[in-house]
């Protein structure tokens, strides 16, 4: 099975859904309304205020997450 992430313009969604139905694809619609909670915003504000010397490079951070949580 192959999985794709696709962004469809609003005016084309019906055509795309019909196509997915024709090929027998399993799909779900996800709306990208993403809002941070006040607690999440506060955490980010504190992180931004820290000195940049304490930052962890993204590759190191991802590697640590993979090891710790098996992502």
């Amino acid at each position: 099975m192959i999985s794709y992430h696709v962004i469809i313009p609003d005016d084309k969604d019906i055509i795309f859904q019909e196509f997915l139905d024709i090929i027998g694809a399993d799909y779900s619609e996800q709306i990208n309304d993403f809002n941070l909670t006040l607690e999440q915003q506060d955490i980010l504000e504190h992180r931004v205020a820290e000195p940049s010397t304490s930052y962890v490079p993204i590759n190191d951070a991802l590697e640590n997450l993979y090891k710790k949580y098996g992502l």
Side-chain angles (χ1 to χ4, degrees):
M1 177 177 281
I2 299 173
S3 177
Y4 295 96
H5 172 79
V6 180
I7 299 173
I8 307 300
D10 291 336
D11 62 336
K12 305 287 193 256
D13 65 332
I14 293 173
I15 296 168
F16 190 74
Q17 288 175 357
E18 289 175 0
F19 169 74
L20 293 174
D21 290 337
I22 290 169
I23 65 170
D26 181 21
Y27 64 92
S28 64
E29 180 179 348
Q30 294 181 343
I31 299 173
N32 293 331
D33 289 340
F34 182 77
N35 295 310
L36 295 174
T37 66
L38 292 177
E39 180 182 15
Q40 291 168 328
Q41 292 174 18
D42 189 46
I43 290 169
L44 291 174
E45 289 297 327
H46 282 90
R47 182 63 178 126
V48 168
E50 292 178 12
S52 61
T53 56
S54 69
Y55 289 0
V56 176
I58 187 66
N59 291 337
D60 294 346
L62 288 173
E63 184 178 328
N64 291 336
L65 288 172
Y66 291 141
K67 287 179 182 176
K68 185 171 183 177
Y69 299 107
L71 300 174

